[in-house]
Amino acid sequence: MIQKLDDTCTLHNGVRMPGFGFGTWQSAAGDITVSAVKAAVKAGYRNIDTAAAYHNEKSVGEGVRQAVEEYGIKREELFISTKLWNDHRGYDLAMKAFEFSMKELGIEYLDLYMIHWPAVSKWHEDWREINRSTWKAFEELYRDGRVKAIGVSNFLSHHVQALMEDADVVPMVNQIEYHPGFGQVESAGFCQANGIIVQAWSPLGTGDVLKNHVLEKIAAKHGKTTAHICLRWLIQKDIVPLPKSVHEERIISNTQVFDFELSASDMAEIDAVPYCGGMRFDPDAARS
Ligand code: A2P
């Protein structure tokens, strides 16, 4: 379990990834995202996550560039992730999409590239072949040193299992929706048992879960906010939270989760919170 903001966890290929990250989904392209990324780096975040589908890679890259220049941080101290969107699955398109993302980000190498959503049987008869062929491109980018690690996102355990059977390189990360009221226990457990680090997107349930009464009660007991409770709950599960905010005070506040501990009964109570916000996407059903 990480003890401070820049503590790292080790991926199965030996690469060290900061165990607490900054999310940029729903962070609008332009100055808002540039400033948010800079504020995050200034606050001590070292793991920055984006995706082609967020349409803000250029702004994330600009925020990183300015932060490196202004705060004396080295590029190598940052861990930058992006994701391949669904309409670029398959070897050839994935290769092209990677180059486009790199151009947008304006960086020489990427730390982590993820398949954003699995191709699934509901929409693709040849779903397994599609994922396998996309992954071939990822493996090549990894072997060529263009990316330090490769992973998946929104993969349920049976998607991960199929990919592991078809792959040469086991994914290093699976980024899934995970927050109180929507803990994807089965997927996370499968990944952790197979040495795949789990990251949580929407760890605050897109902000909706923050008014939940159980979280409020536990927050009051610890003198913390409900956002802190969500993030700490994930840290204690060895899941890497990626909270998003475009407000500097929240960006800073969300890091203040290393000065208290949730008890086993707090953890169990949060585990039992029913759905109370967030997307609750089912990757097997979501149109992709
Ligand atoms: P904003 O960007 O306006 O600060 P998630 O990471 O689960 O998707 O949640 C992101 C949402 O939660 C965003 O709407 C963000 O709003 C809001 N948010 C982030 N941090 C906090 C916080 N500490 N308190 C309240 N809302 C927050």
Side-chain angles (χ1 to χ4, degrees):
M1 187 173 92
I2 59 165
Q3 307 293 335
K4 55 184 174 32
L5 191 55
D6 60 351
D7 270 358
T8 55
C9 48
T10 305
L11 308 182
H12 71 66
N13 64 340
V15 165
R16 297 173 80 87
M17 178 179 78
F20 193 98
F22 184 64
T24 63
W25 178 46
Q26 298 187 315
S27 187
D31 288 346
I32 289 185
T33 293
V34 174
S35 304
V37 169
K38 282 177 74 178
V41 175
K42 194 174 179 190
Y45 293 75
R46 293 293 175 263
N47 179 341
I48 314 282
D49 179 73
T50 183
Y54 302 170
H55 301 295
N56 61 13
E57 285 172 312
K58 208 183 195 73
S59 310
V60 168
E62 181 59 20
V64 165
R65 195 189 64 72
Q66 290 187 21
V68 165
E69 199 173 287
E70 291 175 33
Y71 307 139
I73 309 277
K74 295 197 192 76
R75 158 68 182 95
E76 309 81 73
E77 293 173 58
L78 298 173
F79 189 98
I80 302 170
S81 308
T82 194
K83 312 184 194 80
L84 174 90
W85 188 239
N86 303 345
D87 53 5
H88 289 109
R89 292 186 182 119
Y91 179 89
D92 291 332
L93 288 177
M95 283 297 193
K96 284 199 189 107
F98 174 77
E99 296 305 339
F100 186 77
S101 284
M102 293 301 280
K103 205 158 149 254
E104 291 288 283
L105 284 163
I107 52 180
E108 295 293 311
Y109 69 90
L110 186 66
D111 293 282
L112 173 63
Y113 199 33
M114 286 170 272
I115 299 181
H116 205 146
W117 290 87
V120 296
S121 61
K122 180 167 181 176
W123 307 109
H124 305 275
E125 211 176 306
D126 56 346
W127 64 275
R128 189 163 172 160
E129 174 54 26
I130 294 173
N131 292 333
R132 194 194 65 80
S133 135
T134 307
W135 194 247
K136 278 281 157 224
F138 276 52
E139 289 177 333
E140 193 169 311
L141 292 166
Y142 173 60
R143 285 202 192 96
D144 289 348
R146 303 292 308 281
V147 299
K148 303 286 180 203
I150 49 178
V152 295
S153 180
N154 300 301
F155 273 49
L156 299 174
S157 55
H158 61 275
H159 307 128
V160 180
Q161 178 72 53
L163 189 63
M164 281 167 62
E165 285 167 20
D166 295 342
D168 292 329
V169 180
V170 171
M172 287 119 200
V173 170
N174 187 12
Q175 183 184 122
I176 57 179
E177 182 181 359
Y178 206 117
H179 49 76
F182 193 66
Q184 298 198 64
V185 176
E186 203 272 334
S187 299
F190 177 85
C191 288
Q192 290 183 332
N194 283 281
I196 299 169
I197 301 279
V198 178
Q199 296 183 339
W201 64 263
S202 277
L204 310 176
T206 61
D208 297 339
V209 310
L210 301 177
K211 295 214 168 334
N212 176 272
H213 293 317
V214 173
L215 299 181
E216 282 178 337
K217 183 195 76 178
I218 295 172
K221 186 174 84 179
H222 291 281
K224 303 299 284 187
T225 68
T226 49
H228 294 143
I229 301 304
C230 295
L231 299 169
R232 182 75 205 179
W233 175 69
L234 290 164
I235 289 168
Q236 289 185 211
K237 289 175 180 291
D238 287 324
I239 294 177
V240 178
L242 302 166
K244 171 264 177 186
S245 177
V246 295
H247 294 100
E248 187 161 17
E249 69 280 7
R250 288 179 176 170
I251 291 170
I252 293 168
S253 170
N254 289 343
T255 67
Q256 292 160 358
V257 290
F258 298 101
D259 57 356
F260 75 109
E261 191 159 353
L262 295 168
S263 67
S265 72
D266 291 337
M267 292 293 284
E269 256 193 281
I270 303 166
D271 286 345
V273 165
Y275 174 75
C276 54
M279 305 310 291
R280 194 164 47 166
F281 282 136
D282 174 1
D284 267 333
R287 177 83 203 170
S288 65

